[in-house]
Amino acid sequence: MDTDASEPILKPYHRHHHDHHNSPTPVKASDALPLPLYLTNGLFFGLFFSVAYFLLHRWREKIRNSTPLHIITFPEIVGIVCLAASIIYLLGFFGIGFVQSCISRGSHDSWDVEEDNGGGCSPEEPPTCTLAPISRAKVVAPTIQEPFLSGDDDEVIKGVVSGTIPSYSLESKLGDCKRAAAIRREALQRMTGRSMEGLPLEGFDYESILGQCCEMPVGFVQIPVGIAGPLLLNGKEYMVPMATTEGCLVASTNRGCKAIYASGGASSVLLKDAMTRAPVVRFGTSKRAAELKFFVEDPANFDTLSVAFNRSSRFGRLQNIKCTVAGKNLYMRFGCSTGDAMGMNMVSKGVQNVLDYLQPDFPDMEIIGISGNFCSDKKPAAVNWIEGRGKSVVCEAIINEEVVKKVLKTNIDTLVELNMLKNLTGSAMAGALGGFNAHASNIVSAVFIATGQDPAQNVESSHCITMMESVNDGKDLHISVTMPSIEVGTVGGGTQLASQSACLNLLGVKGASKDSPGSNSRLLASIVAGSVLAGELSLMSAIAAGQLVRSHMKYNRSSKDVSKIPS
């Protein structure tokens, strides 16, 4: 007979005593408490909040006094024990109904396990019936077999097309990232009516990008990787991987590497290494915003703020804080070292720690955003051009006159004049911001894609000024590139993918440096600058010799009819 879950039913009640008239008193979990339940609850609630306040107050004082947090006193030990005890009790209190039901069910005087003989009543003793409520949670509806479990891809595809199955949930529901990508791809083709033939699906590890590199994949794009080099930099040779679809780029950079090598190599200097993040906060008045600016920039407060910041990571170390005020709004630009990681997440966590620390002393501070664009990330900005962001590198070389003539097919005076009128004067006339170069972004983008960097950070990483002048009585050419904001890392993000990891390994900078944290990412930044130096030298020589158009017509033209590619 069907019974509504909210209605009581008659259930056999077994007696294991000979007395049929007196029922034993049911056992309650609260009977074990030494005080009435409401008093015990109040005691532990008060203990929890008072101890939590005490510990937070003590830890705040330690941070202010630069005292290590792991050094604890006896009162703090007692407080931690009391906090743990109150948490354990309160967790038990919220589940006390469940505990009480378990105790009751464990007693033979309340419930008994049904026997096989028609509901568990003894034939000799008529059953006494009691009202036992049935919980709705115990009513299990019959489950419908999902297409995920049946292995029927076509049913899943139809569900994605109809919208009943979210495309973004395929990986979690299927438990197979490659199958999810294939199903999503086919559903996309059915919805758009467009073929995706030519976009590869096979041969890629989709597990490696789950939750970190790309969402809702349907395949992967093939970008050819060429090698320029050897680049002789600081006495060592590097073969530089460049992922690009622009003809002549690798060949031109390779020619620049050849000229540098023949002239004895290039040298680089790392000027600065600091990733930045700049939150924006708002106050009721400009005066209050200025007060926080003065407090943050006061050298006497730097150590205290550093302790709060550095808790976020064992590699992130605060270096400086520079502020600017706009009306009632304050922008605080935090700069920190980040080891071998590019470090955006690391510095963001450190900044949040500092904001949390400042909030009690500046309760009227309203945090508008963890990033206020004074950082500045993935957009051209004068602050990066002037102050730097990431790695600031200068790379230089002296090219012999003979090499300029035989390898680069031009002469020193022509190169110097072209650089002045094109890279300096021409860029100034265009109102360039960090663009005083011929094509630094070409090389930066190609190396970034090959090594798993964030391609969008090419914007500020390509800030570069190329300088040329004749030296040694006009017999040699001095060329340099100054790049104040190269943002690279050798761990995290796309650097851990197989192809990109192989390119990093080729350069000898794969993963984190165990001996000197941060040295791999700094070396990668220097290699980027050295590659830009080679690219600038070769392209400027091609323009000076009138070879640019001719070389592009030869190497950057395709005879393939793209209209015949299936659509």
Side-chain angles (χ1 to χ4, degrees):
M1 181 179 67
D2 295 336
T3 307
D4 185 78
S6 61
E7 295 177 355
I9 65 170
L10 297 178
K11 182 145 182 94
Y13 179 78
H14 287 271
R15 291 185 180 275
H16 292 270
H17 301 274
H18 295 290
D19 185 3
H20 294 274
H21 302 287
N22 298 322
S23 299
T25 303
V27 180
K28 296 181 181 179
S30 57
D31 294 341
L33 299 177
L35 296 174
L37 184 60
Y38 71 93
L39 289 179
T40 307
N41 290 343
L43 175 64
F44 277 96
F45 267 113
L47 181 65
F48 173 79
F49 287 111
S50 60
V51 170
Y53 175 80
F54 168 74
L55 291 175
L56 290 174
H57 179 73
R58 295 281 296 190
W59 289 337
R60 180 185 172 194
E61 290 298 321
K62 285 187 176 184
I63 293 173
R64 286 186 169 181
N65 298 328
S66 300
T67 304
L69 295 178
H70 64 273
I71 300 178
I72 57 178
T73 61
F74 179 74
E76 291 172 344
I77 295 175
V78 174
I80 293 173
V81 172
C82 292
L83 183 67
S86 61
I87 291 175
I88 293 172
Y89 172 81
L90 292 175
L91 288 176
F93 168 71
F94 286 117
I96 198 166
F98 173 75
V99 175
Q100 185 165 311
S101 66
C102 290
I103 294 176
S104 299
R105 292 191 180 197
S107 171
H108 291 291
D109 295 321
S110 301
W111 291 95
D112 203 352
V113 180
E114 293 183 353
E115 303 290 338
D116 292 333
N117 54 351
C121 293
S122 172
E124 294 81 16
E125 183 178 8
T128 303
C129 294
T130 60
L131 294 178
I134 295 181
S135 171
R136 287 186 181 271
K138 297 178 183 177
V139 181
V140 181
T143 57
I144 301 174
Q145 181 71 18
E146 290 186 337
F148 303 109
L149 305 177
S150 66
D152 189 348
D153 286 1
D154 193 60
E155 290 298 319
V156 182
I157 293 170
K158 290 179 181 178
V160 174
V161 172
S162 65
T164 56
I165 300 175
S167 178
Y168 63 82
S169 68
L170 289 176
E171 280 79 6
S172 61
K173 289 185 177 294
L174 294 173
D176 186 338
C177 293
K178 183 171 181 281
R179 181 186 172 200
I183 289 174
R184 184 181 295 111
R185 177 193 181 101
E186 179 59 30
L188 182 62
Q189 292 183 127
R190 294 187 188 183
M191 287 188 290
T192 62
R194 300 282 184 176
S195 171
M196 298 191 71
E197 182 181 356
L199 182 70
L201 177 67
E202 302 292 334
F204 187 81
D205 182 11
Y206 293 94
E207 301 283 347
S208 65
I209 65 173
L210 181 64
Q212 56 188 2
C213 290
C214 181
E215 298 76 37
M216 298 191 288
V218 294
F220 61 98
V221 173
Q222 294 173 309
I223 301 179
V225 177
I227 297 295
L231 171 66
L232 184 58
L233 179 65
N234 297 329
K236 295 184 179 181
E237 297 180 9
Y238 302 96
M239 303 302 293
V240 183
M242 302 175 66
T244 181
T245 56
E246 180 181 349
C248 288
L249 179 59
V250 177
S252 177
T253 306
N254 188 67
R255 182 174 77 147
C257 290
K258 180 180 179 181
I260 293 172
Y261 195 100
S263 300
S267 61
S268 66
V269 179
L270 184 78
L271 304 176
K272 189 187 296 184
D273 181 6
M275 179 50 63
T276 63
R277 175 60 86 200
V280 53
V281 299
R282 182 169 60 196
F283 289 89
T285 64
S286 300
K287 181 180 178 181
R288 284 290 290 163
E291 287 176 1
L292 180 55
K293 168 183 164 64
F294 297 145
F295 177 86
V296 168
E297 292 184 335
D298 187 348
N301 298 322
F302 181 79
D303 289 342
T304 303
L305 296 176
S306 295
V307 171
F309 184 98
N310 296 344
R311 286 184 299 152
S312 62
S313 169
R314 59 195 178 105
F315 296 111
R317 292 295 176 265
L318 184 64
Q319 294 182 1
N320 57 74
I321 309 174
K322 295 186 178 180
C323 303
T324 187
V325 174
K328 302 185 298 180
N329 307 302
L330 176 66
Y331 298 82
M332 298 176 285
R333 193 172 191 258
F334 291 76
C336 83
S337 58
T338 57
D340 283 309
M342 185 271 289
M344 285 299 302
N345 292 333
M346 192 183 301
V347 66
S348 297
K349 289 189 291 185
V351 168
Q352 187 62 58
N353 286 343
V354 174
L355 293 177
D356 292 342
Y357 171 76
L358 292 172
Q359 191 76 70
D361 291 330
F362 295 87
D364 54 337
M365 178 180 70
E366 180 185 1
I367 302 173
I368 304 301
I370 192 69
S371 174
N373 273 8
F374 187 49
C375 313
S376 174
D377 188 41
K378 299 173 184 172
K379 52 192 73 70
V383 68
N384 293 336
W385 176 240
I386 298 170
E387 298 289 344
R389 188 171 195 253
K391 277 72 174 171
S392 299
V393 182
V394 58
C395 188
E396 63 181 347
I398 296 178
I399 311 300
N400 300 332
E401 182 180 27
E402 184 180 1
V403 174
V404 172
K405 291 180 179 179
K406 292 185 177 181
V407 178
L408 301 176
K409 312 299 182 184
T410 185
N411 61 78
I412 294 174
D413 291 338
T414 303
L415 275 174
V416 171
E417 182 181 30
L418 175 64
N419 186 74
M420 181 189 67
L421 295 177
K422 171 182 168 61
N423 289 342
L424 304 182
T425 309
S427 295
M429 294 297 294
L433 179 58
F436 298 91
N437 58 80
H439 71 150
S441 63
N442 249 339
I443 293 88
V444 172
S445 295
V447 177
F448 268 33
I449 295 172
T451 58
Q453 310 305 311
D454 189 340
Q457 290 184 321
N458 165 70
V459 174
E460 60 267 37
S461 296
S462 296
H463 281 347
C464 171
I465 182 168
T466 301
M467 305 288 290
M468 293 185 188
E469 61 179 293
S470 60
V471 294
N472 300 329
D473 297 326
K475 295 182 179 179
D476 297 322
L477 173 72
H478 180 275
I479 177 173
S480 68
V481 292
T482 303
M483 307 180 69
S485 51
I486 302 177
E487 299 168 358
V488 293
T490 58
V491 295
T495 64
Q496 58 195 359
L497 299 180
S499 301
Q500 290 81 343
S501 180
C503 290
L504 289 171
N505 189 56
L506 177 65
L507 293 171
V509 294
K510 177 182 176 181
S513 172
K514 297 181 180 179
D515 299 329
S516 178
S519 60
N520 280 355
S521 62
R522 290 191 290 267
L523 177 56
L524 178 58
S526 296
I527 293 172
V528 170
S531 303
V532 169
L533 183 73
E536 290 286 282
L537 179 61
S538 183
L539 176 58
M540 291 295 288
S541 299
I543 296 174
Q547 299 173 339
L548 179 64
V549 175
R550 185 164 60 251
S551 62
H552 272 262
M553 290 298 293
K554 180 179 180 180
Y555 295 107
N556 202 22
R557 302 286 289 180
S558 174
S559 59
K560 187 174 183 179
D561 187 357
V562 295
S563 65
K564 294 182 179 180
I565 298 177
S567 60

